[in-house]
Amino acid sequence: MIALAVTAVAVLPIMGLLPVGLSSFQHAMDTSVTSQIYQRAAADAGQADFSTLTSSHPGTTQLPVRYFSEQGLECTSADNPVFQVAVGAKLNASSSLATVVVDIVKTPGTGTLSRDPATGGFMAPEKSAATCIRRTFYVARTR
């Protein structure tokens, strides 16, 4: 009986830490996948033709929304994505530099989030979004 009581006292706190550990693991996986998705979206935007990336007027260009699975693989449709990525580019006043915004949102379920016309990214995602990351960088005209 004493051995059973000692074992219970030792094992119960460890079992209580299991959900915290699993939650931390899921958060680490989401962070890793969103980083990979960002690198892919930023590389695609950086390698795109400047005139394609920006429109001829000083407004914001919104590239099509891209969808990714839980593993970070690009989906061919918006059927059931886990991550949605919006890329917007705005031509700066100098006309040789563009500000690129990449938004990555983790959303369970289907449907596309609303786009922000000012940035080309997503509007403030609803509270059901588990992860929302916005990164901004610049792309310069090379010719």
Side-chain angles (χ1 to χ4, degrees):
M1 292 287 264
I2 294 173
L4 186 59
V6 170
T7 303
V9 167
V11 171
L12 284 177
I14 293 172
M15 295 301 287
L17 291 176
L18 190 60
V20 174
L22 290 174
S23 175
S24 295
F25 176 73
Q26 182 64 46
H27 180 71
M29 290 298 296
D30 288 347
T31 302
S32 176
V33 170
T34 54
S35 295
Q36 292 172 1
I37 291 170
Y38 169 73
Q39 288 175 354
R40 183 173 178 179
D44 291 348
Q47 292 176 356
D49 186 48
F50 192 80
S51 61
T52 303
L53 190 60
T54 60
S55 54
S56 58
H57 56 81
T60 301
T61 302
Q62 293 182 359
L63 301 177
V65 175
R66 295 168 68 179
Y67 305 98
F68 290 85
S69 69
E70 189 174 42
Q71 292 83 21
L73 303 173
E74 192 160 4
C75 302
T76 56
S77 67
D79 287 340
N80 197 14
V82 175
F83 295 97
Q84 296 184 31
V85 180
V87 178
K90 184 172 185 175
L91 192 61
N92 292 350
S94 67
S95 298
S96 61
L97 191 65
T99 303
V100 179
V101 173
V102 178
D103 281 355
I104 303 171
V105 176
K106 180 179 181 183
T107 54
T110 60
T112 302
L113 298 171
S114 300
R115 301 286 294 266
D116 183 357
T119 64
F122 291 123
M123 295 290 252
E126 63 259 3
K127 294 180 182 184
S128 65
T131 304
C132 181
I133 295 176
R134 172 171 281 181
R135 299 285 184 256
T136 304
F137 62 96
Y138 297 101
V139 175
R141 184 188 312 262
T142 56
R143 297 187 230 177

